[in-house]
Amino acid sequence: MSTPREEETAEYLRNHKIVELMNNLTSMLFFYRPERPKEFLISQLEQMKASRDRAVDSPCLFDNSNLDAVVGILDPANQGHITYAQYKEALKTLGIKNFNEFPEGLESDRISHETFKREAKEGLVRSAATFQT
Amino acid sequence: MDATVKHLRIPPEMSVYAEKHEIFDLFQTLVRNLIIDKPADPIQYLIGMLKRESIEELWIKLILERLSKVDCVRRGWVLEAIPKTREEALCLQEAGIAPEHVVILQAPDAVLIERSLGKRIDPVTGDVYHVTFMWPESAEVAQRLERPQGLNSEDVISRQLQAYHSEAHALHRTYQSCLKIIDADQPHVDVFAQVLTYVMSRHRSAAPHTPRIILLGPPGSGKSLQARLIAKKYDIVSICCGELLKAVAADESSMGELIKPFLESGRRVPDSMVLQILTERLSRLDCVTRGWVLHGFPQDLEQAEALQESKFSPSRVFFLEMTDDVAVERLTLRAIDPVTGERYHSLYKPAPSPEVHARLRYNPCDSEAEVQRRLKEYCIHASALQAFYPQAVRVNADQDAHTVFECLESRLVNRLPKVLPDRA
């Protein structure tokens, strides 16, 4: 049984995407492992603030070269497309929730690299933008 | 944990890093504060929190550096207005800066505001004055006074006070064990005296301590009564010098034979013999292990010096003080009922019935003449003895026995206060 206060808190966390924010920050921290974690966190948060205020991209662990690498793994023969199942799995593994379930090429089960990378990029930007929209 | 979920392989570098920088605790604090405060802009709030923590660390480092310089280490230090918040206090503790005494000066808000608003500074000497409370004595100085820089208006000060109050409560808890709150709404000399007394007192030590107590005071001050109470409560051996001598004399030992003639003729037993008997008694196992409380000795300066020379110097000396008339009153009116052995006093504990009263006997040494003689004897030596034992505790013996006892107890159990070094 949750008290009103608990419910308030849960709602607050949801609205401001606090959990996602913490996850992102922690991932950044562990990936870069800076000597002075507090300063690093401050700079990440400032960047995030800037991206929110000025519609610039938020800091994100994955960049384009990472996406290319993922595509390379999924499509070693370089056919130019991946299956829908692969598309879904890959996006899930990247930690993107709420991705587009109906990308282009769904009917023929051939999702092109471009489509994948675009959806992935959008999903990543969304999950990195951990602030109230 | 869901058994079908594959365990994530987390690279070990990450766990090492997380432990080294205490990442979990950091995030826990951040989230906890977020949930409590629920700021509208969490990102800015988090930035603020992280920045604050970093600044504090830097600051604590500065303090630590200053305090480890030689002058602080040797002479000690006083930190003023630091720490301001509980987080700072905890950082100080972590850095190993633990104060022995913490003094919080408190006064009602109205007084504080008035003091702040009326503050004036002499630009030449830098002295601080006040329009109402502390006006300078010379008119010349009074003319030069000006308001200090950054003098705030009343509501700014009130807000500062509010912020202070919210932190003060947490600080109270942090320093509970060594805290003393002193009322600052008094003349500053009084405040200083109180603070100084507190700072010079030392905290209870866990050091094992076999008490070696001496009770001094005029006849009738209650030395034997207090000695008995102390001995009973703390399981110490109580020694009355006079009775000791009598016991030895009755003993028929060689020493007993020596002192018998003195006691019988009423002359004072020579110091050397008394000291010998005393040291022999004090070196016996029960005194050595349990401690002793002595009364009736030393009676003059030579005896005190001799005692100090021997290996039995006292660890606590108490002077039970009272005026002569009270002493006379206490002694001359005391009597004993030979049938029941009950002791009575005409004023404080009169005999219950006329027939008991009829059979009461009075000790000849409690006669007025004798008492006066003994009092005079004591007076002669009292000041020399008090000078000899500068660390002695003076207790007002003109109170009821239990109050006196509590007074003695408190000085017995706590450490002696520090003595300020004489700085000429």
Side-chain angles (χ1 to χ4, degrees), chain B residues 15 99 131 153 166 170 173 214 220 234 254 282 288 307 382 387:
Chain B
S15 348
V131 283
S153 67
S166 51
R173 268 182 316 156
I214 293 193
Y234 292 98
S254 51
L282 291 177
V288 169
L307 185 63

Side-chain angles (χ1 to χ4, degrees), chain B residues 333 335-337 342-360 362:
Chain B
L333 300 178
I336 184 166
D337 177 0
E342 272 286 320
R343 299 179 68 162
Y344 295 101
H345 189 279
S346 308
L347 267 181
Y348 305 138
K349 191 176 162 198
S353 69
E355 33 176 60
V356 178
H357 188 80
R359 39 174 213 252
L360 285 181
Y362 296 86

Side-chain angles (χ1 to χ4, degrees), chain B residues 138-421:
Chain B
S138 83
E140 197 188 312
V141 176
Q143 289 225 332
R144 317 197 270 256
L145 287 187
E146 48 184 49
R147 299 173 125 228
Q149 234 90 26
L151 187 63
N152 293 318
S153 67
E154 188 163 336
D155 27 299
V156 173
I157 299 180
S158 319
R159 260 180 288 136
Q160 284 177 342
L161 279 176
Q162 271 179 356
Y164 166 76
H165 284 306
S166 51
E167 294 295 342
H169 187 66
L171 280 177
H172 276 225
R173 268 182 316 156
T174 321
Y175 287 119
Q176 234 170 9
S177 58
C178 47
L179 180 62
K180 176 124 180 175
I181 302 183
I182 292 188
D183 183 15
D185 188 12
Q186 308 174 64
H188 58 276
V189 280
D190 290 351
V191 179
F192 177 65
Q194 288 184 2
V195 173
L196 193 60
T197 336
Y198 175 62
V199 165
M200 292 211 295
S201 70
R202 277 140 94 212
H203 294 293
R204 202 168 282 249
S205 145
H209 167 230
T210 359
R212 303 184 306 280
I213 309 167
I214 293 193
L215 295 179
L216 296 169
S221 49
K223 301 187 290 295
S224 44
L225 174 63
Q226 296 300 331
R228 205 179 52 222
L229 290 175
I230 294 178
K232 197 161 91 162
K233 181 157 181 188
Y234 292 98
D235 194 26
I236 307 179
V237 180
S238 167
I239 300 178
C240 169
C241 192
E243 286 176 13
L244 179 64
L245 292 176
K246 287 191 208 145
V248 168
D251 216 0
E252 314 231 348
S253 59
S254 51
M255 187 47 113
E257 298 296 317
L258 277 176
I259 65 175
K260 232 204 267 211
F262 288 99
L263 289 177
E264 281 172 353
S265 63
R267 280 178 298 157
R268 226 168 92 137
V269 181
D271 284 354
S272 53
M273 293 189 202
V274 178
L275 203 60
Q276 198 176 341
I277 297 178
L278 201 54
T279 49
E280 191 275 319
R281 179 67 184 89
L282 291 177
S283 358
R284 272 199 242 151
L285 195 61
D286 58 352
C287 281
V288 169
T289 47
R290 286 157 50 194
W292 42 265
V293 49
L294 176 62
H295 58 104
F297 184 93
Q299 284 173 336
D300 58 33
L301 192 58
E302 284 97 32
Q303 290 186 345
E305 285 172 346
L307 185 63
Q308 201 74 7
E309 297 286 307
S310 78
K311 43 186 177 140
F312 297 101
S313 62
S315 64
R316 294 280 188 284
V317 178
F318 292 102
F319 279 95
L320 297 169
E321 300 191 318
M322 61 202 296
T323 54
D324 284 1
D325 6 337
V326 184
V328 169
E329 190 184 85
R330 281 191 181 183
L331 290 175
T332 53
L333 300 178
R334 74 175 176 192
I336 184 166
D337 177 0
V339 172
T340 59
E342 272 286 320
R343 299 179 68 162
Y344 295 101
H345 189 279
S346 308
L347 267 181
Y348 305 138
K349 191 176 162 198
S353 69
E355 33 176 60
V356 178
H357 188 80
R359 39 174 213 252
L360 285 181
R361 302 284 206 79
Y362 296 86
N363 191 337
C365 25
D366 284 347
S367 72
E368 176 129 8
E370 253 306 292
V371 172
Q372 292 288 7
R373 189 191 66 79
R374 280 156 67 195
L375 277 174
K376 237 195 288 235
E377 202 36 64
Y378 175 76
C379 264
I380 299 176
H381 300 290
S383 43
L385 280 174
Q386 285 183 354
F388 186 72
Y389 291 117
Q391 285 233 323
V393 178
R394 324 247 298 246
V395 176
N396 178 11
D398 187 12
Q399 308 173 79
D400 70 283
H402 285 287
T403 318
V404 179
F405 180 58
E406 277 173 18
C407 206
L408 289 180
E409 251 193 314
S410 70
R411 282 321 182 92
L412 192 55
V413 168
N414 294 332
R415 280 155 86 178
L416 292 171
K418 284 191 268 243
V419 176
L420 278 181

